[in-house]
Amino acid sequence: MPELKKSPAWQALNAHYERIYPVHMRDLFDQDPHRFEKFSLQINDILFDFSKNRITEESLTLLTHLADHSGLKDQIEAMFRGDPINTTENRPALHTALRGSRQNTPIYVNNQDINPEINRVLSRIEHFCDQIRSGKWRGYSGKKITHIVNIGIGGSDLGPKTVLTALQPYADENIKVHFVSNVDQASIIETISTLSPETTLFIIASKTFTTQETMTNAHSARQWVMNSAKNTHAISKHFVAISTNQPAVIDFGIASDNIFEFWDWVGGRYSLWSAIGLSIAISIGFKNFTQLLQGANDVDHHFKNAPFESNIPVVMALLGIWYNNFFNAASHAILPYAHSLRYFSDYLQQCDMESNGKSIDRNGLQVNYETGPIIWGQSGPNGQHAFFQLIHQGTKLVPCDFIAPAHNRYESPDQHAILLANFLAQPEALMQGQTIEQVKKELDQNQLPLSLLQSKIFSGNRPSNSFLFKEVNPKTIGSLIALYEHKIFVQGCIWNINSFDQMGVELGKKLARSIVPELQNSQPISSHNCSTNGLINHYKKIRSS
Ligand code: F6P
């Protein structure tokens, strides 16, 4: 939609930006004691405070006009209905169906209601969880399974790893879950070196079952089990697969009874709600897993039904567009104030950047506006002592999401108050800043030289959202992730890009496959550009010396 920038909605926002740019949030707060009530929303126990943004009520109205211009309402309905909104791959994106299947509202793909299939796999997951957790499932030598190793990468790793790390208080203490994703052998070796093949179950999680990193690690794992069991029958006791590619799984040697299916209408980075979440379900129990689905399903209903100005994912998306496309902010930081949420920004990085890191629109045309931002971040307290300097005083505008639960797993009241005080202080500092008068006073009181004046001024007026909820439980984490998924979808709709393919990851994969054999001999290489040739030849030299 190269006309996006010419649309009246965009033009109105451009003009509005000129008016808003010089306005300081400090003044907006001074002028309106009800700003928090006006600019905060709630779903389940998640409070979303977006009052510390460079917006007025008019901004929000104008932004919703942009959503209207993109036909967002129809696009939301098309997604939930199962239209093939992933246009390049001609298929639906139905992660929402995975968490709503128990309501049995029919959703048709190829003229077939998909709910019975989803529910059938859910029942298998439930049964399998029960077998493992109860100890009925035994390894080849008759011992119980005490360790699960999920081998997968990208969406087949980050979702389960993020959620399971968040939900440790719910985890079965007798079954430890490990994640192997990196093809650097250190990852699998360091993981299995403390485990016994007799009591370890491998989950090979791969939508395609062709991903080089995953298949390489899976083969190493199989060899490890075989070295110990010395019998191929052991494979059925120690390997299950989650995939859409059954022939490849069977080729690998995993029996069809041990395959948990999912479907090509589930995107990899949207798949934790499918059997890809098996490691989560085993660890926290099936009941809790359904709570995770329920939390996401609640957000789906909200997203489908709430008017745009009070629709949390829509507001999150519009604010992102406001900064990305009008303030030219290139990135967005995700800052959780809970150790248990430490992988949350990694997870969102894939979900957002693989979805919206596109520059060709749905009509195959080059866009003439910015699309997906760089998503980054890490646990807030650590970030404060690393990169917050730039967020507070650097030349770049970095909108931030601050995320905190009111309760953590371990919390002496004092220590928790320190954590939460920081969660509250940082957005306030970013918004308010520190004026020249305040700095002068501080210098004077502390008898510091006036030469420090400029360096100690904080401009403020730096935007952030705050998410505050009671605790990290299955339902809340389900809701939180679904909010971000839909935010990403809304932005993709407005930018008119397909958020559900990932063509940009293919070229590197193809090249890597062709380079592997070139590394396996000592002959000098000349088939690439001189840089790649030089690197390969140097690699061979230093490997052989
Ligand atoms: O390379 C990117 C990607 O295709 C992601 O989209 C996906 O989550 C990941 O690789 C893993 O893919 P698979 O589940 O097919 O192994």
Side-chain angles (χ1 to χ4, degrees), residues 393-450:
Q393 284 189 318
T395 53
K396 295 180 174 57
L397 183 72
V398 184
C400 302
D401 284 357
F402 289 86
I403 302 168
H407 287 285
N408 276 330
R409 182 179 192 181
Y410 307 104
E411 47 169 51
S412 69
D414 288 352
Q415 194 153 341
H416 193 70
I418 293 170
L419 178 68
L420 262 283
N422 279 282
F423 160 76
L424 295 165
Q426 292 295 333
E428 180 163 311
L430 286 168
M431 184 277 282
Q432 274 187 192
Q434 183 160 249
T435 62
I436 188 161
E437 292 74 29
Q438 290 168 322
V439 179
K440 270 187 187 152
K441 205 165 147 197
E442 186 191 315
L443 293 178
D444 197 40
Q445 276 167 356
N446 297 307
Q447 296 178 344
L448 289 165
L450 214 54

Side-chain angles (χ1 to χ4, degrees), residues 152-157 205-215 242-244 262 267-271 276 350 354 501-502 505-506 509:
I153 198 163
S156 301
D157 166 68
S206 176
K207 180 176 173 182
T208 55
F209 226 74
T210 55
T211 304
Q212 196 179 36
E213 295 85 342
T214 299
M215 297 326 298
I242 306 157
S243 185
T244 58
F262 71 116
R269 54 194 174 274
Y270 298 91
S271 65
I276 288 289
Q350 186 210 12
E354 209 174 69
D501 64 6
Q502 57 284 320
V505 300
E506 294 309 324
K509 287 185 191 174

Side-chain angles (χ1 to χ4, degrees), residues 7 95 118 163 293 405 416 440 514:
S7 67
H95 41 289
I118 300 171
V163 170
L293 301 182
H416 193 70
K440 270 187 187 152
S514 73

